[in-house]
Amino acid sequence: MSGRLAGKVALVTGAASGIGAACARLFAAEGARVVVTDVQDEKGRAVAAAIGGLYVTHDVAREEAWTAAVAAALAAYGRLDVLVNNAGIFIPQTIEDCDLAVWNKVLGVNLTGTMLGCKHAVRAMKANPGGPAGSIVNVSSITGYIGLASAAAYTASKGGVRLLTKSVAVHCARAYRTIRCNSLHPGTIDTPMNQAAFDASGDPEGMRALFDTMQPVGRMASAAEMAACALFLASDESSFVTGAELLADGGWLAAGGPL
Ligand SMILES: NC(=O)c1ccc[n+]([C@@H]2O[C@H](COP(=O)([O-])OP(=O)(O)OC[C@H]3O[C@@H](n4cnc5c(N)ncnc54)[C@H](O)[C@@H]3O)[C@@H](O)[C@H]2O)c1
């Protein structure tokens, strides 16, 4: 098969929905064999079926689930070239309201899940037939740079993902040369995660309009636009890029604020 990921095997977490599903579709269209993982089994199976991929039930916060997911990828396809640590949850609470159980849940999925993914992917990538090779894409956020007052745990988790990525990247560069790790920092993206926040606000249309105007480009991004960024980092086109941050925020940070 031809394409920008021809011959590669990619595992995408949280791929039943939003950015992860868009990555799974684009990666398959670019020639990758894709392992779709999520905790939403019905939706995940549908994404995998549509692209001819493999679906694995996989709670990223649990190490035994990582062992099983990577083993399933290796059993099905014999190697692992790309991991997109995309699964994430958003639970808004300011630091004053921050409930310890919510903190642990958000950090568990967003940061610990990403750490476990890097650990298990690197172990698989260094043992790839033909020698160590691979690219890990960690989905952080614009909140890896700036504080979202309404979401202390989420902000902390995404800041953690940004710097964890650099530790993984430097380790892999020194130890294996050909295993890379980068972070992707979306601004606001039109996905079910944000739709849930709009619906909870009591004014979904007003919230949607507000989110559109928050970015200098005047609109949210689509999940497909984030998948295109992940594709660059996943593919050999970014072969000299490691430990880097790809900010895709419609100019938000360049403007110094939302408006
Ligand atoms: N939507 C945005 O504006 C935005 C902005 C910046 C960063 N992000 C990040 O992008 C990533 C994808 O978000 P999205 O907007 O596509 O959201 P989404 O809610 O559409 O998708 C997230 C997916 O993660 C899965 N998931 C949740 N907990 C999981 C777990 N424990 N194990 C495995 N899968 C789990 C969900 O089932 C869901 O399918 C997240 O990491 C999110 O924080 C999103």
Side-chain angles (χ1 to χ4, degrees):
M1 182 144 189
S2 61
R4 293 162 68 189
L5 297 179
K8 295 192 189 295
V9 176
L11 191 158
V12 184
T13 70
S17 174
I19 295 168
C23 287
R25 291 188 196 102
L26 181 61
F27 288 12
E30 291 292 343
R33 287 165 291 170
V34 180
V35 182
V36 170
T37 84
D38 208 291
V39 289
Q40 297 194 74
D41 292 338
E42 201 174 321
K43 287 186 178 173
R45 280 199 187 92
V47 171
I51 61 174
L54 174 71
Y55 177 72
V56 179
T57 302
H58 176 206
D59 177 351
V60 297
R62 293 178 46 235
E63 184 150 28
E64 61 274 25
W66 271 106
T67 303
V70 171
L74 296 177
Y77 302 126
R79 57 185 299 118
L80 182 65
D81 301 286
V82 175
L83 168 65
V84 184
N85 273 313
N86 165 78
I89 55 174
F90 179 81
I91 303 178
Q93 287 184 336
T94 71
I95 188 60
E96 289 194 68
D97 307 326
C98 195
D99 177 80
L100 184 58
V102 169
W103 170 272
N104 286 335
K105 185 171 173 58
V106 172
L107 272 286
V109 175
N110 295 3
L111 182 55
T112 305
T114 300
M115 177 277 292
L116 291 171
C118 292
K119 172 181 169 179
H120 287 269
V122 170
R123 288 179 174 185
M125 288 169 173
K126 74 180 185 186
N128 268 335
S135 175
I136 299 172
V137 182
N138 291 333
V139 181
S140 175
S141 166
I142 193 167
T143 64
Y145 299 98
I146 59 170
L148 194 56
S150 62
Y154 185 82
T155 300
S157 72
K158 294 302 187 180
V161 168
R162 180 179 169 205
L163 285 182
L164 169 68
T165 299
K166 297 183 195 308
S167 174
V168 174
V170 175
H171 167 73
C172 289
R174 290 188 176 143
Y176 308 114
R177 308 293 189 216
T178 46
I179 298 176
R180 302 181 294 110
C181 185
N182 294 287
S183 54
L184 173 61
H185 298 262
T188 55
I189 319 304
D190 193 0
T191 69
M193 181 179 278
N194 277 329
Q195 189 59 49
F198 301 158
D199 292 343
S201 74
D203 179 17
E205 287 314 308
M207 282 292 283
R208 175 171 283 279
L210 177 66
F211 269 60
D212 278 339
T213 54
M214 274 194 322
Q215 286 143 117
V217 294
R219 65 174 179 86
M220 288 183 279
S222 68
E225 287 174 292
M226 294 305 106
C229 295
L231 172 62
F232 168 68
L233 294 174
S235 78
D236 293 341
E237 293 158 18
S238 58
S239 53
F240 204 63
V241 180
T242 196
E245 304 156 13
L246 178 44
L247 174 66
D249 70 343
W252 182 335
L253 277 194
L259 292 173

